[in-house]
Amino acid sequence: MQPWLLVSPASKGIGFCMARHLLKTTNAPVVVTARNDLDGTKRKIMDGLSEVDDKRLKALHLDFLDEKSIMEASKECKSTFPIEDNLLHLAYVIPGILFPEKSPEKVDYEKALLTFQTNTLGPLMFTKHFFQFLPQKSIKMDASSEAWKGLDSKLARWIFMSARVGSVTDNKKGGWYSYRSSKSAINQITKSFDLHVKTKSGDNAMAIAMHPGTVKTGLSKEFWDSVPKDRLLEPEDSAERLIGLCTKSDGVGLDGRGRIWDWQGKEIEP
């Protein structure tokens, strides 16, 4: 079985850096998604990676607010990577949007709805159409081919993007009602989906959620000044850590399935 890797979306921020890091450190095909300008997205990702075969990178249109586009992207992946010969080894499902409401009266219905559609329902619909690519539990994982280079662990991992503020246990300040709630919901989806993956894939695959840290991207730009410099991560650093925890044999293993982990490999209580 040949592995392929997926980062969705990957036009900017952490996803963009993840795609570049996977291309540089592995030999497997990498599928990325974007809502528009696929050629431009692919050019930006490949910029400076002259040693990488650009045929390894496939860019697909996908809008997390449009289930039809998710379904069409999954059909294209099925055509490119027939299930009988290929398996989805890494899937980073990481859309995100943030409207920080400091008090209840600041909650805007349309913005809150968009938050849940992007952060929660979009990943859930993505899971509906893409989970078919994870390995069956009957498969014997042979990682001897060149395509597995850089993937030390044979365990397939499905990763949702969560956030520390989605933890009810960790909530000490309140606020951010729609964003916190959308990420709490992702944590629940992660647990439920992992139970399904365990039935389908056995010990060949698992689902987890991850917190990338406070990263210097457009999503968190409003809060950069309030974060200590040693706790504000560059996107490249966060991406490298999140990938390392999922590609290395000493990363998050089967005993961590269905749970939430931060970029340091520390568990976050739900």
Side-chain angles (χ1 to χ4, degrees), residues 171-191:
N171 187 353
K172 304 296 193 299
K173 295 182 179 180
W176 294 26
Y177 292 87
S178 58
Y179 185 75
R180 282 186 186 273
S181 301
S182 71
K183 292 302 185 178
S184 293
I186 277 292
N187 296 344
Q188 183 67 274
I189 289 171
T190 299
K191 179 61 177 180

Side-chain angles (χ1 to χ4, degrees), residues 10 20 32 34 42 49 85 144 160 171 188 191 201 214 230:
R20 286 177 58 84
V32 299
K42 188 171 182 178
L49 303 183
D85 300 314
S144 60
F160 292 106
N171 187 353
Q188 183 67 274
K191 179 61 177 180
S201 303
T214 303
D230 61 343

Side-chain angles (χ1 to χ4, degrees), residues 57-169:
L57 179 63
K58 184 177 182 66
L60 299 177
H61 166 71
L62 191 146
D63 184 347
F64 276 89
L65 304 182
D66 179 5
E67 185 182 359
K68 183 178 179 181
S69 79
I70 297 172
M71 180 176 65
E72 291 300 322
S74 72
K75 288 181 179 179
E76 192 162 349
C77 286
K78 194 169 185 178
S79 175
T80 305
F81 306 105
I83 292 174
E84 59 270 20
D85 300 314
N86 301 271
L87 61 88
L88 179 54
H89 183 69
L90 280 180
Y92 286 94
V93 188
I94 58 173
I97 192 171
L98 167 62
F99 299 106
E101 314 105 341
K102 295 182 179 180
S103 60
E105 65 266 23
K106 297 296 184 181
V107 178
D108 176 87
Y109 181 88
E110 294 299 330
K111 290 180 178 179
L113 179 61
L114 180 60
T115 297
F116 278 94
Q117 288 174 321
T118 304
N119 296 355
T120 309
L121 291 176
L124 182 57
M125 292 300 99
F126 188 97
T127 303
K128 172 183 175 180
H129 293 286
F130 275 84
F131 84 90
Q132 62 181 305
F133 299 112
L134 291 174
Q136 299 282 346
K137 62 182 172 184
S138 59
I139 291 175
K140 293 183 178 180
M141 302 289 282
D142 179 7
S144 60
S145 72
E146 189 67 16
W148 285 91
K149 184 178 180 181
L151 302 170
D152 295 347
S153 172
K154 293 187 289 184
L155 174 63
R157 293 170 173 87
W158 183 287
I159 303 97
F160 292 106
M161 189 67 86
S162 186
R164 188 176 299 279
V165 296
S167 166
V168 176
T169 304

Side-chain angles (χ1 to χ4, degrees), residues 24 36 40 51 58 61 66 114 119 137 150 188 192 194 197 203 214 216 225 230-231 247 249 257 262:
K24 289 187 291 184
N36 47 52
E51 73 284 5
K58 184 177 182 66
H61 166 71
D66 179 5
L114 180 60
N119 296 355
K137 62 182 172 184
Q188 183 67 274
S192 293
D194 181 67
V197 171
D203 291 346
T214 303
K216 202 172 182 181
D225 293 339
D230 61 343
R231 292 176 57 190
T247 56
S249 56
R257 67 184 311 156
D262 73 5

